[in-house]
């Protein structure tokens, strides 16, 4: 079965096929954060969903090249920098660093490219694209010296959001004289400098100013991935106007279809409202870490509802994530222990592995179906229940346990739910080093005594061909 994904453009489930004639390389663009503040976990729902998509495509043999941009110049970043009395670049750097740290905490695979809008090569490209649009009569400079995209020139505008372009024209209620644009729906490509922008300005054929948000993404996407992308993602709030505008600009410049598959995740909600900075109902990752939740628990909570369904944020949901991960941990520990036993432990009756293999297959097939993570996790928990019962009845031996662990590892490459690596205290490390010395000296008595001392500190040391391996005693 192939991977089927819901395409916002067609509003249908479609078989996923990349442009690459060999069917392997996937070009994926994901709208990244505006770095004026810490991203909230609503934003991270979008990034975790995109991470799941990438990981599942990789599990299915695709090679994903992913771009995630950083919006480091717009109204909000400029306003923030001014309020903080800092240069724009210094102000945004703090939030860029924090963002990368948060991605790591949530185990989101880093993109291949993280272009920032203010990098000179991209600003040059934005200016070149606007020039190209102007030459075609699609862009025009208005009296306010800003440059706008003339919507009337792009009849496909509105197709992604399924909007009627006529609805965007000024209605009788709006006095269009108040607008300097020709058409109220026209969007800015280049914003003329004004005093509120301070020293944030670039020279351009239209005078000093800065790029609009939409052209930033078109320029960075096409610069890094070429004129045609396989996948473009974001949250549903990005569909209009941002992604519509990206399509209009890119297609008018390249003459090619910009994106084959558009995917958008539904919002993370709090009490029926979208989690957002403006509504003030948001939590950052830091807020939740301070409350004692871990990155993987938050990842689990953000991941477990299918991406096209709204996800309601609650602390009970986070507690549920903790409990579910606890079950997975206990199960992995049991099969690991079973694998380490001597070969004649347990009497394997032969039936259980085929059940497990079936569950494993079903896990990936559920994800093939538009990333049905709820169905996939259902298969995983059935696998856990069934294999726990087989373990209880001594139906798994070390070889089967080893096979089962391999199944888990391939599932976990998609989920990234493994336990946090516990930090080993310095005192334990010192004892391990002493013990290694004792072993080198063939002082077995001292070695055993040191093992007990290590155990008394809550750690178990195992000697493997790659050297000593430590694990927490509870594991
Ligand atoms: P922004 O920094 O506002 O441009 O948003 C970055 C990404 O997060 C975009 O893909 C948004 O669509 C997404 N996003 C923002 N708020 C939410 C939310 N409450 N739930 C899910 N995604 C969101
Ligand atoms: Zn974008």
């Amino acid at each position: 079965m192939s991977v089927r994904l819901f395409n916002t453009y067609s509003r249908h489930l479609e078989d996923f096929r990349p442009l690459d004639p060999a069917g392997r390389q996937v070009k994926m663009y994901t709208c990244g954060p505006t770095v004026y503040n810490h991203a909230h976990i609503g934003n991270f729902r979008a990034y975790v969903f995109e991470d799941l998509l990438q990981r599942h495509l990789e599990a299915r043999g695709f090679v994903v090249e992913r771009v995630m941009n950083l919006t480091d110049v717009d109204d909000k970043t400029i306003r923030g920098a001014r309020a903080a009395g800092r240069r724009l670049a210094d102000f945004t750097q703090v939030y860029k660093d924090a963002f990368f740290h948060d991605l790591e905490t949530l185990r989101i695979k880093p993109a291949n490219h993280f272009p920032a809008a203010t990098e000179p090569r991209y600003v040059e490209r934005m200016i070149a694209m606007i020039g190209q649009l102007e030459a075609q009569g699609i862009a025009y400079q208005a009296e306010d010296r800003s440059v706008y995209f003339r919507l009337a020139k792009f009849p496909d505008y509105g197709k992604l959001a399924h909007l009627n372009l006529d609805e965007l024209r000024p209605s009788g209620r709006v006095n269009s004289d108040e607008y300097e644009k020709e058409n109220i729906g026209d969007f800015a490509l280049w914003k003329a400098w004004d005093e509120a922008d301070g020293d944030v300005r670039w020279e351009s054929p239209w005078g000093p100013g800065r790029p609009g948000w939409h052209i930033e993404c078109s320029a960075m996407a096409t610069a890094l991935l070429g004129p045609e992308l396989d996948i473009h993602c974001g949250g549903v709030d990005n569909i209009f106007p941002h992604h519509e505008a990206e399509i209009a600009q890119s297609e008018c410049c390249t003459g090619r279809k910009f994106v084959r598959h558009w995917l958008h995740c539904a919002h993370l909600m709090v009490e029926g409202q979208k989690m957002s900075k403006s509504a003030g109902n948001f939590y950052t990752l830091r807020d939740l870490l301070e409350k004692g939740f871990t990155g993987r628990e938050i990842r689990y909570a953000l991941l477990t509802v299918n991406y096209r369904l709204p996800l309601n944020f609650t602390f009970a949901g986070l507690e549920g994530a903790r409990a579910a991960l606890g079950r997975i941990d206990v199960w992995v520990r049991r099969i690991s222990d079973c694998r380490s036993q001597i070969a004649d432990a347990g009497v394997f009756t032969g039936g259980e592995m085929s059940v497990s293999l079936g569950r494993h297959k079903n896990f990936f097939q559920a994800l093939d179906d538009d990333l049905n993570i709820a169905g996939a996790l259902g298969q995983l928990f059935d696998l856990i229940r069934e294999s726990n019962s087989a373990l209880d009845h001594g139906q798994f031996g070390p070889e089967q346990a080893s096979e089962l662990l391999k199944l888990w590892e391939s599932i976990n490459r998609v989920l990234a739910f493994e336990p946090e690596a516990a930090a080993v205290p310095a005192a334990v490390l010192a004892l391990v080093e002493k013990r290694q010395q004792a072993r080198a000296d063939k002082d077995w008595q001292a070695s055993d005594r040191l093992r007990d001392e290590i155990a008394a500190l809550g750690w178990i040391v195992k000697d493997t061909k790659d050297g000593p391996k430590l694990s927490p005693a509870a594991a």
Side-chain angles (χ1 to χ4, degrees):
M1 189 175 140
S2 56
V3 176
R4 283 164 68 76
L5 300 171
F6 185 83
N7 188 344
T8 310
Y9 202 90
S10 68
R11 298 284 199 273
H12 283 112
L13 278 173
E14 292 174 4
D15 284 346
F16 173 67
R17 260 185 234 103
L19 275 157
D20 171 23
R24 256 171 72 78
Q25 304 286 334
V26 176
K27 294 171 182 225
M28 176 168 165
Y29 187 86
T30 48
C31 289
T34 306
V35 280
Y36 72 108
N37 210 327
H38 292 290
H40 60 69
I41 55 159
N43 302 127
F44 282 111
R45 180 186 194 196
Y47 308 138
V48 165
F49 135 67
E50 293 155 357
D51 184 56
L52 175 68
L53 174 60
Q54 172 170 3
R55 287 171 180 267
H56 181 57
L57 290 174
E58 288 171 350
R60 286 310 199 192
F62 294 102
V63 178
V64 180
E65 182 178 9
R66 177 168 174 198
V67 175
M68 177 180 277
N69 73 291
L70 304 167
T71 300
D72 59 354
V73 56
D74 78 329
D75 296 344
K76 290 181 276 195
T77 43
I78 293 174
R79 222 182 294 133
R82 288 206 102 183
R86 305 190 68 183
R87 285 183 51 242
L88 181 67
D90 298 335
F91 174 74
T92 56
Q93 191 60 47
V94 175
Y95 299 109
K96 287 180 189 175
D97 294 344
F99 178 68
F100 289 126
H101 194 262
D102 287 354
L103 287 183
E104 214 175 296
T105 305
L106 287 172
R107 304 171 178 201
I108 294 170
K109 280 182 103 161
N112 302 73
H113 314 272
F114 284 106
T118 57
E119 288 174 49
R121 61 178 284 214
Y122 300 122
V123 177
E124 276 166 32
R125 189 178 176 85
M126 292 165 209
I127 292 174
M129 286 176 84
I130 299 168
Q132 211 182 326
L133 294 171
E134 188 180 37
Q136 294 177 70
I138 296 169
Y140 64 92
Q141 187 163 27
E143 271 177 31
D144 63 358
R145 297 180 356 270
S146 291
V147 180
Y148 294 93
F149 186 101
R150 186 174 272 129
L151 278 193
K153 289 277 187 181
F154 189 69
D156 282 353
Y157 193 82
K159 285 203 171 159
L160 178 70
H162 294 216
L163 282 176
N164 182 348
L165 188 59
D166 290 336
E167 289 168 7
L168 298 175
R169 296 195 194 290
S171 73
R173 284 180 289 117
V174 179
N175 175 0
S176 53
D177 292 344
E178 283 173 19
Y179 292 84
E180 312 207 43
K181 311 181 222 177
E182 289 174 7
N183 179 322
I184 187 173
D186 290 356
F187 57 85
L189 295 161
W190 186 260
K191 296 194 174 181
W193 180 86
D194 68 27
E195 270 170 27
D197 293 341
D199 64 352
V200 180
R201 54 192 273 171
W202 286 266
E203 291 310 319
S204 82
W206 312 281
R210 60 185 162 98
W213 173 38
H214 312 314
I215 195 76
E216 294 180 3
C217 276
S218 285
M220 290 184 272
T222 55
L224 289 159
L225 296 173
E228 294 170 295
L229 320 183
D230 295 303
I231 295 180
H232 195 314
C233 304
V236 284
D237 58 322
N238 281 162
I239 297 175
F240 185 85
H242 185 51
H243 288 163
E244 288 286 2
E246 277 191 48
I247 296 174
Q249 300 159 151
S250 307
E251 296 194 355
C252 288
C253 282
T254 67
R256 311 267 276 277
K257 188 164 174 61
F258 180 43
V259 172
R260 285 161 75 96
H261 296 264
W262 284 96
L263 275 80
H264 295 96
C265 72
H267 281 143
L268 182 69
M269 313 291 286
V270 186
E271 284 156 29
Q273 243 198 321
K274 174 193 168 193
M275 178 176 285
S276 70
K277 296 263 164 64
S278 50
N281 60 352
F282 66 92
Y283 288 99
T284 64
L285 192 57
R286 272 134 247 269
D287 294 335
L288 300 183
L289 296 173
E290 274 169 23
K291 288 185 189 295
F293 293 99
T294 63
R296 81 165 176 150
E297 287 164 354
I298 301 163
R299 177 181 174 87
Y300 188 103
L302 291 176
L303 201 67
T304 43
V305 169
N306 291 357
Y307 76 94
R308 285 200 290 130
L309 298 174
L311 163 57
N312 200 28
F313 173 79
T314 59
F315 283 97
L318 278 174
E319 297 289 352
R322 177 170 288 174
L325 287 165
R327 276 184 70 199
I328 295 176
D329 291 350
V330 170
W331 172 69
V332 173
R333 210 176 297 147
R334 282 194 79 186
I335 42 179
S336 306
D337 288 351
C338 178
R339 183 184 56 174
S340 324
Q341 281 168 16
I342 40 169
D344 62 358
V347 186
F348 180 57
T349 54
E352 303 305 327
M353 257 337 271
S354 60
V355 174
S356 304
L357 283 167
R359 293 278 174 221
H360 179 260
K361 197 165 141 220
N362 294 348
F363 173 89
F364 287 97
Q365 283 182 349
L367 291 178
D368 285 343
D369 178 17
D370 199 27
L371 295 184
N372 175 6
I373 185 71
L377 288 174
Q379 293 297 328
L380 173 63
F381 283 106
D382 281 348
L383 169 64
I384 291 177
R385 194 170 32 76
E386 286 159 5
S387 50
N388 270 337
S389 151
L391 282 160
D392 291 342
H393 295 94
Q395 288 167 327
F396 270 119
E399 262 178 48
Q400 290 73 35
S402 168
E403 286 303 305
L404 198 53
L405 271 181
K406 280 190 201 137
L407 298 186
W408 160 244
E409 278 158 18
S410 68
I411 287 175
N412 189 51
R413 269 196 288 283
V414 175
L415 298 176
F417 282 169
E418 73 281 1
E420 315 279 352
V424 183
V428 173
L429 288 176
L431 289 174
V432 171
E433 223 179 282
K434 263 190 174 173
R435 183 167 170 275
Q436 280 308 94
Q437 191 53 53
R439 284 168 59 81
D441 299 341
K442 300 203 181 335
D443 183 350
W444 307 120
Q445 246 185 337
S447 161
D448 285 349
R449 182 177 37 77
L450 285 159
R451 178 200 293 275
D452 293 343
E453 283 181 40
I454 293 166
L457 292 177
W459 290 80
I460 291 177
V461 60
K462 278 193 183 138
D463 300 305
T464 75
K465 60 178 174 13
D466 305 320
K469 285 266 177 315
L470 278 169
S471 51

